[in-house]
Amino acid sequence: MNTSKYKYLFVNIGLFAVNAITTKLLSFILMPIYTIYLATKDYGIMDMSIVVINFIFPLATAMINGGVLRFGIEDQKHIKFYATDGLLITLASCAVVGALLPLLKLSFFGSLGSYALLFFISYLTSCFPNYFGILCRVVNEIKIIPVASLITAFSMLSTTYYFIVYKHMGIIGYFYSYIISNIISTVIYLLGAKLYKYFSLKSVYRNWHLQGPLLKYSIPLAPNAVCDVLGLTFSRFILTSSLGINASGLYAAASKVPNLMSIFQQVFNQAWQISSFQEYKKKDINSFYSIIWKGYCAVLFLGCSIVISIIDPLSNILLHNEFYSAKKYIPILCFGFLFGAASGFFGSIYQTFLKTRPLLIQSLVGAGITVICTWLLVPYIGIAGAVIAVALGNSVMLIIRIIDSRRLIPFNLALPTCLTSLGLILIQAVIATMNTPTTNWISVACLLMILLLQSLNLYPSIKIFITNKKV
């Protein structure tokens, strides 16, 4: 077995891990500051601004990031065209967002409309680090990404302490620290990776014929990306309009704990996209996907099980004052996260094979279920309804993608092991939500069983990798 592609993937995972861990560690550190120094209303506004930016960014940019990454890696000859075209569309998105600012006055955005200018500047300064991070992956300047992340994290932490803790500026202080940190990140990417040398208007003019295929691939990714966050976004809107901005703040606080698991998902997806785009034409692609899938599942299941097992100490650290009541929503959020993370793996298959339309349809189905269930459940069971709706939407989308993607790459899914592990985590989540006297014992027992199952499932692949035998 040729192990070079696995080593390349692992090296990239290591580099992206520094970036993701830094980002999530920063969130971990800032969480107590926010919950101590911000009121639930301010925290809800802060979270709403992040949710709205994540919602409108893919639409306003036509998800050009995805197209630049996919085509840029495969067609290095025209890298200046893809880099410049992506930058121009990103710039145009700022004008689109500026024109839509009056919509922030609508009731389901809470009080975000009162901070429209700061919100716009936040979007303006955040979209460029996002794009430049993608471009660094295309031009193989990945090493600058963790450097930029570390410096930006230090900036965010220091400015947050200054504006919120020292100056007591509340939500205004959050916006200031966010904007300053994004500006610093942009400068680091431009100068540190010398990205400016890839921008050329002449290249766009001379290679205009490449615009069609690029947009044909990218445009379906935009609503797809929106659908991926629609459940989260719609939950915020429904909670805010039905129960008030405080409920949205509690839901956001509960989401921070399971989001710790997204460290691995973010790291893996960034590295996996590069490897998948480079390797999909090779003969042993099925074996490659099978081995990576087993490892991915092992980390997902064990990570989720561990997080549920230590919910009490995590909640004591992260959730303070009135936010502590959000603890009861964490287990099911963790369970729902599993479906979304696994669905993302199968989503990468469609991007690799340039099949973005089926990806969009599947995401629409999953988001539609999330929206309908949220609308039906929240008025009756409150925040718990939004939590359950996200899990249902993600699970349906995953099932559809598993079935449909078999026509592209029929790799080994190890379903018995995956389904058994999933059932054990469901037991953990339900027991943890009920908070019975035996919760801890049952949770640990489930964790040990999952560890055993995943170890047995991974053993053949690890043995082959170590001995370097042919699959």
Side-chain angles (χ1 to χ4, degrees):
M1 179 177 68
N2 181 13
T3 60
S4 60
K5 57 190 174 185
Y6 296 96
K7 293 178 181 178
Y8 179 75
L9 175 62
F10 294 151
V11 168
N12 284 344
I13 286 176
L15 291 172
F16 288 124
V18 176
N19 174 56
I21 291 174
T22 300
T23 302
K24 295 303 178 183
L25 184 60
L26 176 66
S27 177
F28 190 87
I29 295 173
L30 290 178
M31 183 68 176
I33 296 178
Y34 292 148
T35 56
I36 291 173
Y37 290 91
L38 295 181
T40 53
K41 179 180 178 181
D42 286 344
Y43 189 87
I45 294 172
M46 180 192 76
D47 181 70
M48 181 64 73
S49 71
I50 296 173
V51 168
V52 174
I53 287 175
N54 291 337
F55 183 81
I56 64 176
F57 177 79
L59 289 176
T61 62
M63 201 55 186
I64 197 65
N65 286 9
V68 171
L69 178 63
R70 178 64 182 85
F71 285 85
I73 288 177
E74 190 171 22
D75 185 13
Q76 291 285 312
K77 179 182 177 181
H78 297 103
I79 186 62
K80 287 188 176 181
F81 164 79
Y82 294 117
T84 308
D85 195 59
L87 179 63
L88 292 174
I89 292 177
T90 301
L91 281 168
S93 76
C94 296
V96 173
V97 172
L100 296 175
L101 285 179
L103 295 178
L104 293 180
K105 295 292 184 179
L106 296 175
S107 61
F108 55 73
F109 288 111
S111 302
L112 185 58
S114 301
Y115 305 92
L117 179 59
L118 287 172
F119 170 82
F120 176 70
I121 299 174
S122 295
Y123 175 85
L124 181 69
T125 56
S126 66
C127 62
F128 293 107
N130 190 317
Y131 177 68
F132 292 152
I134 292 291
L135 195 55
C136 284
R137 293 157 66 182
V138 176
V139 301
N140 200 26
E141 290 287 350
I142 300 175
K143 293 181 180 179
I144 196 66
I145 295 178
V147 174
S149 179
L150 286 169
I151 296 176
T152 304
F154 176 77
S155 171
M156 187 70 181
L157 182 60
S158 58
T159 53
T160 296
Y161 181 84
Y162 178 78
F163 289 121
I164 295 181
V165 179
Y166 181 69
K167 286 291 186 178
H168 302 286
M169 296 178 65
I171 187 64
I172 299 293
Y174 161 76
F175 279 117
Y176 285 176
S177 63
Y178 185 77
I179 291 168
I180 291 172
S181 300
N182 280 323
I183 292 174
I184 291 173
S185 180
T186 300
V187 173
I188 294 172
Y189 279 129
L190 275 175
L191 301 182
K194 299 180 180 179
L195 295 180
Y196 52 83
K197 67 182 181 181
Y198 296 101
F199 301 134
S200 170
L201 291 176
K202 289 183 179 180
S203 178
V204 174
Y205 177 76
R206 293 173 180 172
N207 299 285
W208 191 251
H209 62 282
L210 298 175
Q211 182 79 55
L214 178 63
L215 291 178
K216 183 179 179 181
Y217 174 88
S218 299
I219 289 175
L221 290 178
N224 176 71
V226 169
C227 289
D228 285 344
V229 300
L230 184 60
L232 181 64
T233 304
F234 191 81
S235 298
R236 298 292 201 280
F237 293 158
I238 290 293
L239 287 171
T240 301
S241 60
S242 300
L243 307 177
I245 194 67
N246 288 357
S248 179
L250 288 174
Y251 183 91
S255 300
K256 294 297 182 182
V257 177
N259 280 350
L260 289 172
M261 296 181 294
S262 68
I263 295 176
F264 171 74
Q265 182 194 14
Q266 179 184 350
V267 168
F268 175 82
N269 286 343
Q270 290 176 335
W272 175 240
Q273 280 186 325
I274 297 174
S275 294
S276 182
F277 294 163
Q278 292 175 338
E279 299 291 332
Y280 80 102
K281 293 182 179 179
K282 303 293 179 62
K283 293 181 179 180
D284 60 343
I285 185 64
N286 285 356
S287 174
F288 184 48
Y289 265 78
S290 297
I291 292 174
I292 300 302
W293 167 250
K294 289 180 181 179
Y296 184 61
C297 285
V299 177
L300 280 181
F301 287 128
L302 287 171
C304 183
S305 182
I306 291 172
V307 169
I308 295 177
S309 298
I310 60 173
I311 279 179
D312 286 340
L314 280 177
S315 299
N316 290 333
I317 295 172
L318 297 178
L319 304 177
H320 298 272
N321 303 325
E322 65 265 44
F323 289 97
Y324 193 79
S325 62
K327 170 189 168 183
K328 59 186 176 183
Y329 306 115
I330 296 173
I332 301 301
L333 280 172
C334 291
F335 184 70
F337 166 83
L338 275 180
F339 294 110
S343 180
F345 181 90
F346 289 93
S348 68
I349 296 176
Y350 295 93
Q351 291 178 273
T352 299
F353 285 85
L354 302 176
K355 304 290 185 181
T356 53
R357 288 185 180 179
L359 190 66
L360 169 59
I361 295 172
Q362 296 157 8
S363 296
L364 285 172
V365 172
I369 291 174
T370 300
V371 167
I372 293 172
C373 292
T374 301
W375 179 67
L376 291 174
L377 296 176
V378 166
Y380 296 98
I381 56 177
I383 297 174
V387 172
I388 295 173
V390 171
L392 290 173
N394 286 343
S395 63
V396 172
M397 183 169 59
L398 173 60
I399 293 171
I400 295 174
R401 287 184 178 176
I402 288 176
I403 296 173
D404 184 66
S405 65
R406 306 297 290 170
R407 61 188 174 87
L408 299 176
I409 304 182
F411 63 94
N412 182 14
L413 296 175
L415 278 178
T417 301
C418 290
L419 291 176
T420 305
S421 298
L422 190 63
L424 290 169
I425 290 177
L426 178 58
I427 293 173
Q428 269 189 289
V430 172
I431 295 298
T433 302
M434 295 171 61
N435 196 24
T436 66
T438 59
T439 291
N440 291 335
W441 291 104
I442 295 175
S443 188
V444 171
C446 290
L447 172 60
L448 293 176
M449 284 188 282
I450 292 171
L451 177 60
L452 177 61
L453 283 171
Q454 294 302 322
S455 298
L456 292 174
N457 191 42
L458 275 178
Y459 177 73
S461 299
I462 295 175
K463 184 178 180 181
I464 291 173
F465 184 79
I466 293 175
T467 58
N468 201 24
K469 292 181 179 179
K470 189 174 182 179
V471 177

